[in-house]
Amino acid sequence: MVITVMVHMYRVFMTGSYKAPREFNWLIGVGLLVLTLLLSFTGYLLTWDQLGMWAITVGTNMAGATPLLGHEGPFGEQLGMTAHNDVRFALLGGSSVGANALLRAYVWHCIAIPLFVALLIGVHLWRVRKDGFSGSL
Ligand code: HEM
């Protein structure tokens, strides 16, 4: 899916189909790309093996360094962020990768993100109909 979305984006870019009147649909596409990468990321933990555990450990540690929202990020401490109430904690459902993190990844991967993807695909295809396909004569 990641490769297919990138090939599609490359095609749209090479044919200049991101230009007026399709700028808005390009932005919707960027949202779909981000959601596709998030599906890829959340799915990685679901195998519940060493690769997945460490990927999520590194990824959520990075989230812990987010400005304002992470306890290790710039201004996080000043805003009262700790290892037990920051964005990393919210993603993991705890302070380390465990059963709660697996459950959260599962819900994101199988329910929440697919719902957002379905919504954006709906808007995306509606815009293709309204703006007209760039390749049609
Ligand atoms: C889950 C991801 C995506 C799905 C399912 C999807 C689906 C589609 C479909 C079926 C079309 C009409 C046929 C075609 O032009 O090939 C289309 C057109 C388009 N897509 Fe996507 N797309 C996705 C991601 C993206 C991304 C990442 C971008 C760019 C950032 C993008 C930008 C566009 C634009 C600008 C059009 C209009 C193209 C034209 O009229 O030639 N889409 N998309």
Side-chain angles (χ1 to χ4, degrees), residues 24-25 28-29 32 116-131:
F24 176 68
N25 215 13
I28 297 294
L32 283 167
F116 287 123
V117 169
L119 185 79
L120 284 196
I121 288 180
V123 178
H124 202 62
L125 297 184
W126 168 62
R127 284 325 304 172
V128 172
R129 291 288 291 177
K130 286 288 164 190
D131 300 334

Side-chain angles (χ1 to χ4, degrees), residues 5 8-9 11-12 17 22 26 29-30 124-125 128 133-134:
V5 167
H8 172 61
M9 193 174 174
R11 193 289 291 171
V12 170
S17 311
R22 300 181 185 82
W26 174 267
V30 172
H124 202 62
L125 297 184
V128 172
F133 177 57
S134 67

